[in-house]
Amino acid sequence: MAKHSSQELPIRSKIEMAKDIGQIIQCLHSGQRSAADLLIEDLKTRAVYMDEDIQQHVLMFAEQVQFQYDYDARHLMTEDVQKAADKLIEMLGFKPPIE
């Protein structure tokens, strides 16, 4: 979890956020909600120091993941979760993988 996000270089925060997104998706697949929730909190903490667009996309991604946990017992990656993850990764300045 981020301890001093306000003093962290923005590129370092963005890299860590991208890693968190991947770990959250892994947690979603394996049903590890408590671990995903901690990673989501880390994303939100880091996003506080980013621009408003990134903050909004962090919230949209978090909502999609939490919705998936609440309403789908299989916890699979849906198109909505993928779109939210891809858009957030793009907002962080990275290109999502091409299929």
Side-chain angles (χ1 to χ4, degrees):
M1 187 162 275
K3 297 200 190 278
H4 300 287
S5 296
S6 66
Q7 297 172 3
E8 192 170 59
L9 291 173
I11 188 65
R12 176 41 97 187
S13 285
K14 289 178 179 184
I15 290 168
E16 291 302 317
M17 290 172 78
K19 288 178 184 178
D20 284 350
I21 293 165
Q23 291 176 332
I24 290 165
I25 290 169
Q26 286 179 326
C27 290
L28 180 63
H29 281 291
S30 60
Q32 298 175 346
R33 185 170 188 161
S34 60
D37 287 343
L38 289 173
L39 290 163
I40 287 170
E41 288 306 312
D42 188 41
L43 270 181
K44 289 178 182 179
T45 299
R46 290 178 190 278
V48 168
Y49 304 102
M50 303 284 168
D51 66 47
E52 189 175 324
D53 286 337
I54 291 175
Q55 292 174 16
Q56 289 178 349
H57 282 89
V58 165
L59 292 176
M60 287 188 282
F61 174 69
E63 282 180 7
Q64 287 299 321
V65 170
Q66 291 168 336
F67 177 86
Q68 190 64 22
Y69 269 117
D70 290 340
Y71 293 101
D72 184 353
R74 295 173 295 167
H75 309 305
L76 299 175
M77 180 77 157
T78 64
E79 188 175 331
D80 290 334
V81 173
Q82 181 178 345
K83 283 181 184 178
D86 288 348
K87 187 61 181 173
L88 177 53
I89 289 168
E90 197 175 297
M91 293 299 300
L92 292 171
F94 304 104
K95 290 188 176 197
I98 299 174
E99 292 181 17

